Amino acid sequence: MNWYPWLNAPYRQLVGQHLAGRGHHALLIHALSGNGADALIYGLSRWLMCQKRQGEKSCGECHSCRLMLAGNHPDWHVLSPEKGKSSIGVELVRNLIDTLYSHAQQGGAKVVWLPQAESLTDAAANALLKTLEEPPENTYFLLGCFEPSRLLPTLRSRCFYWHLASPETALSMQWLGRQISAEPVAMLAALQLSEGAPIAAEQLLQPVRWAQRTALCQALAEALARQDLLSLLPQLNQDNVADCLYWLSSLLLDALKWQQGAGNFIVNQDQRTLVQQLAESASIAVLLKSANQWLRCRHQLSSVVGVNRELLLTEQLLNWENGLSGADRTFSHSL
């Protein structure tokens, strides 16, 4: 598993708590996707199970470390949804609990890694509560989450909360510069589009994906010049439509910033000409309404089962075009 430089400080702090006798048996790590929480958890798990620790470091030589490096340690349990499912049911949790109350196969610590605690059903979360409160000896629960508000309050209250913040921009830019060949302005835009998460920014900068975003920006500039926003449909009607609509919404929000004289704070720093073009295309009210409509459209596409993607996108493009032209008519199709 890769290690990232911005994880050094939180790793030392978390391990230091255990060395000082203040380490919690249940850790809830709140982090954006792309900040490396899985690497941090893996490193902490290795240290907890290492049989010959060297201060803050795992030895890398003991049998436990070798099993972790091989990816088959019997006392490291990863709790995730079964194949084809999006949630963790109560039976998976009960089976895990039964396993935890047996002796550790390697005679050391047992560690449970739950990458996305939001995937627990309410019944599964409730089944876990008593074990979280009174765990078997030398057993640790490491939970990851993107949205703590989606967890049961009773589950959160039994864990030690840790927010893994995005690293400083300068550190992220240095790291990105070592990982991928790209212009600094492109790296900055990718980082801001990823809410400061460097790994997510690196994935966005991969040639195929970055080219798709660039093509969308170019198509939008041409569509605005021709006042033919419906021509954007092929660029938006893609399998990764959620990404496309996020990029489009961020441009609209940047245009609002531009209109307010806050051009230095825009996200899409590599598309300043397009942002200005958007800012000059409509009033604040129209831009704000369009941004809200696209965000709502994105939510519908991700949450409504069986929605007609092409029809919904076409409808929204026509509404946007009417808004820019000053027409009052709004197209609406019942889903």
Side-chain angles (χ1 to χ4, degrees):
M1 175 143 332
N2 292 330
W3 187 254
Y4 307 102
W6 58 87
L7 299 179
N8 291 333
Y11 173 82
R12 285 194 296 267
Q13 288 176 281
L14 290 170
V15 168
Q17 290 178 354
H18 285 279
L19 288 171
R22 296 183 285 104
H24 202 283
H25 68 273
L27 174 67
L28 176 64
I29 291 190
H30 172 205
L32 289 173
S33 177
N35 266 349
D38 52 346
L40 178 61
I41 290 297
Y42 176 79
L44 182 58
S45 299
R46 274 188 57 181
W47 185 86
L48 288 169
M49 292 191 290
C50 179
Q51 297 162 345
K52 298 179 181 179
R53 298 170 185 162
Q54 300 173 355
E56 296 178 344
K57 297 181 180 180
S58 51
C59 71
E61 300 294 335
C62 69
H63 188 53
S64 182
C65 282
R66 289 198 297 269
L67 287 172
M68 283 295 286
L69 289 169
N72 57 7
H73 198 301
D75 296 321
W76 193 51
H77 307 279
V78 180
L79 186 59
S80 56
E82 295 178 303
K83 187 176 181 179
K85 295 185 178 180
S86 59
S87 61
I88 298 173
V90 66
E91 285 305 315
L92 276 178
V93 172
R94 287 172 178 165
N95 292 338
L96 171 67
I97 292 171
D98 290 342
T99 301
L100 293 176
Y101 277 97
S102 63
H103 291 294
Q105 295 190 37
Q106 296 301 310
K110 290 170 284 188
V111 176
V112 177
W113 167 222
L114 174 53
Q116 193 170 352
E118 297 98 325
S119 60
L120 289 167
T121 63
D122 285 352
N126 282 317
L128 191 60
L129 292 179
K130 181 173 176 57
T131 308
L132 277 178
E133 189 167 2
E134 299 177 5
E137 185 179 0
N138 209 14
T139 300
Y140 300 91
F141 292 87
L142 308 176
L143 291 73
C145 72
F146 302 136
E147 299 179 55
S149 61
R150 290 178 54 192
L151 303 180
L152 292 178
T154 46
L155 182 69
R156 297 199 307 268
S157 67
R158 285 163 171 78
C159 299
F160 177 76
Y161 173 84
W162 184 277
H163 179 227
L164 180 61
S166 297
E168 294 291 332
T169 300
L171 177 58
S172 298
M173 291 287 285
Q174 290 174 5
W175 180 81
L176 280 171
R178 293 193 295 268
Q179 306 303 314
I180 197 163
S181 177
E183 293 294 326
V185 68
M187 290 193 293
L188 180 59
L191 193 60
Q192 292 180 331
L193 284 167
S194 304
E195 299 181 76
I199 304 168
E202 182 198 13
Q203 293 168 352
L204 176 54
L205 285 165
Q206 294 303 312
V208 173
R209 197 166 175 218
W210 193 250
Q212 186 179 10
R213 173 183 171 271
T214 301
L216 174 61
C217 292
Q218 291 173 345
L220 176 56
E222 295 170 2
L224 287 170
R226 297 197 307 266
Q227 295 187 337
D228 178 20
L229 294 178
L230 193 58
S231 64
L232 284 175
L233 183 60
Q235 298 291 340
L236 298 177
N237 192 20
Q238 305 286 334
D239 289 339
N240 66 331
V241 63
D243 288 338
C244 295
L245 296 189
Y246 172 67
W247 299 334
L248 180 58
S249 300
S250 74
L251 287 163
L252 286 164
L253 293 173
D254 277 349
L256 286 165
K257 296 176 190 175
W258 191 282
Q259 285 192 348
Q260 298 301 306
N264 290 333
F265 298 95
I266 66 173
V267 169
N268 298 272
Q269 290 287 345
D270 62 329
Q271 297 291 334
R272 294 179 69 85
T273 300
L274 175 58
V275 170
Q276 182 178 3
Q277 186 181 3
L278 268 172
E280 294 171 351
S281 69
S283 66
I284 291 177
V286 170
L287 287 173
L288 185 59
K289 180 179 179 181
S290 298
N292 286 332
Q293 287 176 335
W294 279 117
L295 289 171
R296 185 164 59 249
C297 176
R298 183 174 183 261
H299 176 71
Q300 286 178 295
L301 288 170
S302 62
S303 61
V304 179
V305 178
V307 65
N308 187 320
R309 185 174 71 194
E310 183 174 358
L311 180 59
L312 186 60
L313 291 171
T314 300
E315 177 182 300
Q316 181 54 38
L317 285 167
L318 289 172
N319 287 337
W320 189 17
E321 192 170 293
N322 283 336
L324 293 184
S325 66
D328 294 327
R329 188 161 54 105
T330 298
F331 293 89
S332 180
H333 177 81
S334 175
L335 298 174

